[in-house]
């Protein structure tokens, strides 16, 4: 009996059917076309060395290639995230689509969506990855997908214009080639990293630039090559890192580490804490000197840093002090109340700034999808628009409804 049950569970077709149902249940798949694509492509054939359960796990990536430190250079993305991004892209039959970052599986899904009249090109900077993707695509019957080895910073002019460009690697910026190779009514779906947090953003054209239609938190391996992010990281002590891509932010390792040894002070906002993804976008764009604080589990367990830093939390830093968000249960604010942990001689001043943002967000902007994100290409303007971040090829500007 057990043997029969086990063999049923391990059948790839059954696992795939379960995956599609779960993608629907979890709101990742919304359309029949995306569901049909996930049902059609044999995901395990693109992860031949992985256990079937891993290949069909909704939320886990499958490792493909690591660097010399053991960090992922390439993975098969989690099915849940792939579904979210394909829904964001709204791909129709007959379209020309460029996928940036290869693996084979996602390109096969896209081929299913564009059908036999559509054209799919997938590009990767790494020849090993493209060779592997090619083998898997041919093996699974998707030999019509075109594979290219190139740094996607320069785009893929052969095959442009594209109705859709889907980037499957964390991009710090939007290079001019992606805009010039996008059709007039095209859509760019890109996991864009803004102040250390990556969101998959569906962009349509607006004038010379781009305007967001939707955004979702996402995690991807970082872009390599010309477009790689240039971030500063300060290891304050074992398990505590502060990072920022804002040149104006001071990162004084010694003084910030010393601040952590000064008493921890807590300040409470009296305002609701929820929708952390939305709140985080607001905070990172409004804090006057924003960085990201990460702490390891061991450091959190020791009580030195709050659990909010486990996945990284927006921090306000000065030369010698640091403040970051926390929360506590409070029925009066709808379940949780937001607050601030601060250390160092300027703890109170930093906490004041942070608290006023927590309150303003809770009062005026506490909604799902309340932000609109624009990309304004071109050289740096003499004065940055409000709530914006300067990139190499333009400005990311965010407004809230
Ligand atoms: C998450 S993997 C792609 C997953 C794939 N789309 C799938 O079907 O699951 C990200 C890929 O982006 C590639 N990459 C990184 N930087 C790149 C660049 N500048 N141009 C093109 N590809 C790049 C990496 O080599 C890696 O294979």
């Amino acid at each position: 009996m057990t043997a029969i049950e086990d063999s049923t569970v391990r059948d790839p077709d059954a696992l795939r059917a379960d995956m599609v149902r779960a993608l629907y249940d979890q709101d990742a798949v919304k359309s029949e076309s995306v569901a049909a694509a996930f049902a059609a492509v044999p995901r395990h054939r693109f992860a031949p060395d992985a256990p079937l359960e891993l290949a069909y796990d909704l939320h886990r990536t499958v490792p493909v290639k690591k660097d010399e430190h053991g960090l992922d250079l390439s993975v098969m993305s989690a099915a849940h995230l792939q579904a979210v991004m394909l829904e964001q892209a709204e791909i129709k039959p007959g379209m020309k689509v460029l996928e940036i970052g290869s693996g084979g599986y996602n390109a096969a899904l896209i081929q299913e969506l564009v059908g036999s009249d559509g054209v799919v090109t997938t590009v990767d900077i790494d020849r090993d990855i493209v060779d592997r993707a090619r083998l898997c695509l041919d093996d699974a019957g998707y030999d019509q997908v075109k594979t290219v080895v190139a740094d996607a910073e320069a785009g893929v002019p052969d095959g442009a214009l594209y109705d859709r460009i889907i980037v499957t690697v964390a991009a710090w910026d939007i290079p001019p080639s992606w805009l010039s190779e996008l059709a007039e009514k095209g859509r760019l779906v890109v996991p864009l990293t803004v102040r250390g947090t990556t969101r998959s953003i569906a962009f349509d054209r607006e004038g010379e630039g781009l305007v967001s239609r939707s955004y979702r938190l996402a995690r991807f391996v970082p872009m390599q090559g010309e477009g790689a992010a240039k971030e500063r990281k300060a290891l304050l002590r074992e398990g505590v890192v502060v990072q920022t891509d804002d040149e104006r932010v001071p990162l004084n390792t010694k003084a910030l580490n010393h601040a952590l040894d000064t008493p921890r002070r807590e300040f409470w906002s009296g305002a609701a804490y929820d929708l952390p993804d939305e709140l985080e976008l607001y905070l990172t764009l409004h804090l006057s000197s924003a960085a990201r604080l990460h702490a390891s589990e061991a450091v959190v367990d020791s009580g030195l840093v709050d659990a909010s830093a486990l996945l990284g939390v927006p921090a306000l830093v000065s030369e010698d002090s640091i403040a970051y968000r926390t929360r506590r249960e409070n029925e009066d604010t709808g379940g949780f109340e937001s607050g601030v942990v601060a250390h160092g001689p300027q703890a109170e001043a930093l906490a004041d700034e942070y608290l006023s943002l927590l309150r303003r967000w809770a009062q005026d902007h506490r909604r799902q999808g309340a932000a609109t994100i624009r990309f304004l290409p071109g050289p740096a303007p003499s004065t940055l628009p409000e709530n914006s971040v300067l990139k190499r090829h333009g400005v990311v500007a965010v407004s809230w409804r």
Side-chain angles (χ1 to χ4, degrees):
M1 185 66 187
T2 312
I4 293 169
E5 276 173 7
D6 279 356
S7 72
T8 314
V9 171
R10 298 183 70 83
D11 171 37
D13 294 340
L15 286 169
R16 191 156 63 257
D18 285 351
M19 176 183 77
V20 177
R21 256 192 305 278
L23 288 171
Y24 255 128
D25 290 347
Q26 295 184 21
D27 250 7
V29 162
K30 294 175 190 295
S31 64
E32 279 179 22
S33 56
V34 172
F38 274 95
V41 183
R43 184 171 165 90
H44 60 289
R45 301 272 283 271
F46 295 85
D49 302 327
L52 280 177
E53 286 73 13
L54 175 60
Y56 282 102
D57 188 304
L58 252 56
H59 296 285
R60 288 169 70 197
T61 58
V62 179
V64 173
K65 186 171 181 179
K66 293 185 186 285
D67 70 6
E68 67 276 22
H69 309 294
L71 296 174
D72 284 318
L73 287 173
S74 187
V75 299
M76 179 161 83
S77 302
H80 189 277
L81 182 52
Q82 288 174 320
V84 165
M85 292 180 76
L86 291 176
E87 291 289 0
Q88 284 185 299
E90 294 186 26
I91 297 167
K92 303 277 182 293
M95 283 186 166
K96 282 167 87 176
V97 182
L98 173 65
E99 182 199 39
I100 293 175
S102 307
Y105 178 63
N106 198 48
L109 293 172
I110 298 170
Q111 185 68 60
E112 288 288 338
L113 288 165
V114 299
S116 52
D117 293 339
V119 182
V120 181
T121 305
T122 181
V123 59
D124 203 287
I125 197 168
D126 188 327
R127 180 169 291 284
D128 294 345
I129 299 301
V130 174
D131 288 348
R132 180 187 175 283
R134 184 74 269 158
L135 279 175
C136 293
L137 283 163
D138 292 345
D139 171 62
Y142 293 93
D143 41 322
Q144 67 274 54
V145 171
K146 298 181 183 178
T147 46
V148 177
V149 182
D151 183 342
E153 176 81 3
V156 182
D158 289 352
L161 300 170
Y162 302 103
D163 299 300
R164 299 289 185 262
I165 298 178
I166 302 187
V167 186
T168 65
V169 55
W172 189 81
D173 202 352
I174 298 179
S177 62
W178 299 357
L179 277 168
S180 64
E181 293 179 8
L182 189 66
E184 192 48 41
K185 298 225 175 296
R187 177 169 289 181
L188 168 69
V189 179
V190 54
L192 187 65
T193 306
V194 177
R195 291 276 180 267
T197 309
T198 306
R199 288 181 177 79
S200 172
I201 308 174
F203 279 118
D204 287 347
R205 285 186 180 278
E206 184 187 61
E208 297 296 302
L210 298 165
V211 62
S212 68
R213 294 292 171 227
S214 62
Y215 57 89
R216 288 283 289 264
L217 215 57
R219 256 165 195 262
F220 270 99
V221 297
M223 182 85 88
Q224 305 167 46
E226 279 294 304
K230 290 191 177 61
E231 286 199 318
R232 285 176 299 143
K233 272 189 189 164
L235 176 67
L236 303 191
R237 64 182 69 184
E238 183 67 31
V240 186
V241 172
V242 179
Q243 76 182 92
T244 185
D245 59 0
D246 188 343
E247 287 168 3
R248 300 162 305 179
V249 174
L251 276 194
N252 186 335
T253 308
K254 210 168 147 200
L256 290 179
N257 190 34
H258 179 67
L260 286 181
D261 287 326
T262 65
R264 162 196 174 113
R265 299 183 60 193
E266 284 181 10
F267 304 83
W268 295 99
S269 68
Y273 168 86
D274 60 7
L275 301 175
D277 304 351
E278 296 288 337
L279 172 60
E280 185 151 313
L281 184 61
Y282 185 79
L283 289 172
T284 45
L285 269 290
H286 285 83
L287 289 167
S288 61
S289 182
R292 222 174 152 72
L293 171 69
H294 297 264
S296 68
E297 237 171 278
V299 171
V300 168
D301 288 346
S302 76
L304 181 73
V305 176
D306 193 83
S308 58
L310 273 176
L311 291 175
V313 64
L316 177 59
V317 296
S318 67
E319 279 292 344
D320 57 7
S321 305
I322 183 163
Y324 61 96
R325 172 187 65 63
T326 184
R327 64 171 199 182
R328 67 178 174 191
E329 284 185 27
N330 186 344
E331 285 308 318
D332 295 341
T333 58
F336 286 100
E337 175 189 2
S338 60
V340 174
V341 174
H343 295 262
Q346 297 171 59
E348 200 160 337
L350 296 189
D352 275 353
E353 176 185 333
Y354 212 125
L355 284 176
S356 72
L357 291 175
L358 291 171
R359 291 185 186 119
R360 212 181 322 147
W361 177 81
Q363 188 180 313
D364 299 335
H365 308 296
R366 188 158 60 96
R367 277 188 306 283
Q368 197 73 54
T372 301
I373 306 165
R374 287 189 166 77
F375 183 73
L376 316 168
S382 49
T383 46
L384 271 182
E386 222 191 334
N387 305 326
S388 64
V389 172
L390 184 62
K391 299 285 182 177
R392 280 176 221 133
H393 302 297
V395 169
V396 175
V398 187
S399 54
W400 276 265
R401 290 187 287 277

